[in-house]
Amino acid sequence: VPRARAGSLERERLLGSLISATDTSIVIVRAPAGSGKTTLLAHWAAVDRAQDFAWISLDETDNDIVALWRHIVTALGTVAPRAAARATQLINRPAPDVAGKVVPAILSGLAEWDPAGVLVLDDFQSITDQACHDSIRQFIRGLRLAQRCTLVVSSRTEPTLNLAKLRIEGQALTFSAVDLAFTPTEVAQLLARHGVRPGDAVPQLLADTNGWATGVHLSIDRVSSTDPERHPSDRRDLIHEFLVEE
């Protein structure tokens, strides 16, 4: 589980919803790069002592059904070895049958996960393979019965996981870019943490960034800096560099 970035704010209004989502099969956190998705989930893992967290930071090498589930089984095995024992044997066989044997073995093993836990799939936009998506949908269907695990999918794009029924049943919780946008209260708290009196800075900062987490942090870093050589264009250059890299 990654650590939250230094100086980041524990966002109580969002953390409260996550911590109370114990009966939820899946949590979707969908927002563009730099919106604070990973930071929010890292804070959740740090403060929620009632649940174990298995975390996977996905990339293009996981865009294969066997590679994806080998990664998932390994992550589960680190926090719930009994729950992942049978699946570990199956996924390490030559040409493993993921849909027919590995996923059912994980779902069966979840009964051994005590206390119940959270499986985080971060950067899910890296997964575009149809077989991978089908297997995750199969896993989600099984979670409704197992009720021992909450799946968290964090993505820059809308995951194609057919969640309409779960949303209707109240089994899916979604956080969008609008939800992750910093509020005036949160911006004021961050300014105070950096030794800056909020004053008129809050509405101007929100107007400049629309509450986008990376923009907020870079703006606060600029206004709190004591470096006389810093220029407002520095922030724009950093944002441009961030977006190009992402």
Side-chain angles (χ1 to χ4, degrees), residues 5 31-39 123 156 212-218 234-246:
R5 58 172 289 180
S35 296
K37 301 183 296 296
T38 300
T39 299
D123 286 324
R156 298 177 186 177
W212 178 52
T214 295
V216 168
H217 280 280
L218 289 175
D234 293 345
R235 179 178 65 86
R236 292 193 295 271
D237 292 342
L238 285 172
I239 291 176
H240 176 73
E241 182 179 341
F242 172 84
L243 294 173
V244 168
E245 289 180 355
E246 294 297 317

Side-chain angles (χ1 to χ4, degrees), residues 102-117:
V102 176
V103 174
I106 292 176
L107 291 168
S108 177
L110 288 178
E112 301 291 333
W113 199 353
D114 186 23

Side-chain angles (χ1 to χ4, degrees), residues 159-235:
T160 55
L161 297 177
N162 302 344
L163 301 177
K165 185 175 182 179
L166 286 176
R167 288 186 171 117
I168 292 172
E169 295 175 347
Q171 287 291 306
L173 181 64
T174 301
F175 294 88
S176 68
V178 173
D179 299 311
L180 267 63
F182 273 68
T183 66
T185 298
E186 290 169 337
V187 170
Q189 290 173 338
L190 269 180
L191 285 167
R193 181 173 294 183
H194 285 77
V196 179
R197 299 180 65 178
D200 296 330
V202 173
Q204 183 59 56
L205 194 151
L206 286 172
D208 290 344
T209 65
N210 289 322
W212 178 52
T214 295
V216 168
H217 280 280
L218 289 175
S219 295
I220 290 178
D221 179 59
R222 176 176 59 84
V223 300
S224 63
S225 174
T226 58
D227 184 354
E229 300 299 320
R230 292 287 293 272
H231 188 272
S233 63
D234 293 345
R235 179 178 65 86

